[in-house]
Amino acid sequence: MEFDQLFFVTTHSRGVTLRARQIKGGEGKCASAALWRGMSKRPRGRPPYADILTAAEWRVVEAVRHGATNAEIAARQGVSRDAVKFHITNALQKLGLQRRAELRHWDGVRRDSKLHRKGEPMASDIKLGPLGQVARSVRNIEASTSWYRDVLGLTHLYSFGKLAFLDCGGLRLFLSEGEGAADSILYFRVPDIHAAHKQLADRGIEFLDAPHMIHRHSDGTEEWMAFFKDDEGRPLAIMAQA
């Protein structure tokens, strides 16, 4: 390929200087001026983002709402703790919030979610559906997954690190590796998670977080959850797919 001009960029502490060096012809100055005029019309900073938060900020915010620590978020998302802190700070500023605890109870929905396109929550009275998932803590995720799959004959659905999901006749069994015993968590299916969250909260139920997307499958199906306490302070959850 032949080029009349060779353009290159040099970076300085005060910004970026654009220069043009003539290869052939006598229009070096004109080309440089034209280039500068074109570049000067571009807005400074990052290009505008259609949503209130960037994709990276949404990933961190969803993890915060799920109760993950900065260290856990950094490890799961493959970023530094400083990056996690940076995204949390930006999110708090954009949303007009002061503390991380407020962020955990913020019920915003990202624009590219199917729930965002559904609009307002259902107005009818919400009733808890059948159990959709039961969580169980195990000491060794590989050994337990093998036992439930090969010995009990449950169908293995998918695994993520130290998490495994199996099908038990339409009820999803969620295994997670952890130290010590933990309460099993019952997950109730609901048709509209935001409406269910509001109605249960109006009944005096204490929620630990706002409804949040915990995973998006390769086919686009979204998993949404929100956790609350029973009368003895033990965790329960509502869940929905979109």
Side-chain angles (χ1 to χ4, degrees):
M1 297 179 64
E2 294 183 0
F3 298 90
D4 288 339
Q5 315 292 334
L6 173 65
F7 296 103
F8 59 95
V9 179
T10 55
T11 304
H12 300 285
S13 60
R14 295 183 179 180
V16 175
T17 300
L18 298 173
R19 299 178 178 176
R21 183 170 61 197
Q22 184 171 339
I23 300 299
K24 60 181 179 180
E27 301 178 354
K29 293 182 179 180
C30 293
S32 178
L35 175 64
W36 175 254
R37 286 197 301 272
M39 295 298 293
S40 64
K41 294 179 181 179
R42 298 179 183 178
R44 294 183 177 180
R46 294 182 178 180
Y49 192 70
D51 207 343
I52 189 172
L53 302 176
T54 67
E57 290 165 353
W58 267 117
R59 287 193 294 271
V60 171
V61 167
E62 297 288 26
V64 169
R65 295 199 292 192
H66 198 57
T69 65
N70 285 6
E72 291 171 336
I73 298 172
R76 293 173 186 174
Q77 299 187 6
V79 299
S80 68
R81 296 188 188 185
D82 286 340
V84 173
K85 293 179 182 178
F86 176 77
H87 290 317
I88 291 175
T89 299
N90 282 348
L92 290 174
Q93 291 177 345
K94 290 179 179 180
L95 301 175
L97 304 177
Q98 300 296 321
R99 299 179 295 112
R100 183 192 184 97
E102 296 178 83
L103 187 61
R104 190 169 183 188
H105 288 274
W106 176 67
D107 65 352
V109 179
R110 53 194 302 166
R111 289 179 64 89
D112 64 354
S113 168
K114 294 179 181 179
L115 290 192
H116 185 273
R117 296 190 288 272
K118 282 187 175 181
E120 294 297 320
M122 297 169 57
S124 58
D125 189 40
I126 290 292
K127 294 184 178 179
L128 298 183
L131 287 180
Q133 179 170 284
V134 174
R136 191 173 183 86
S137 179
V138 299
R139 289 192 295 269
N140 186 304
I141 191 65
E142 293 182 0
S144 293
T145 300
S146 176
W147 188 83
Y148 279 95
R149 181 190 61 216
D150 303 332
V151 178
L152 288 189
L154 302 186
T155 300
H156 176 255
L157 298 174
Y158 34 79
S159 294
F160 305 101
K162 295 184 178 181
L163 311 177
F165 298 83
L166 300 99
D167 177 65
C168 184
L171 174 66
R172 193 167 59 190
L173 175 62
F174 167 35
L175 303 179
S176 61
E177 183 176 309
E179 295 295 333
D183 285 331
S184 294
I185 301 177
L186 306 180
Y187 297 74
F188 297 92
R189 290 192 182 277
V190 293
D192 187 323
I193 194 166
H194 284 89
H197 174 268
K198 182 180 185 305
Q199 292 185 23
L200 292 175
D202 289 343
R203 297 176 192 174
I205 290 178
E206 180 183 354
F207 274 86
L208 302 175
D209 45 37
H212 54 281
M213 187 197 308
I214 64 165
H215 184 66
R216 178 182 283 159
H217 296 278
S218 57
D219 65 356
T221 301
E222 300 171 2
E223 301 275 356
W224 285 77
M225 294 182 181
F227 293 82
F228 60 97
K229 296 179 180 180
D230 68 7
D231 61 323
E232 296 182 357
R234 294 174 298 188
L236 295 170
I238 51 176
M239 63 179 292
Q241 289 186 331

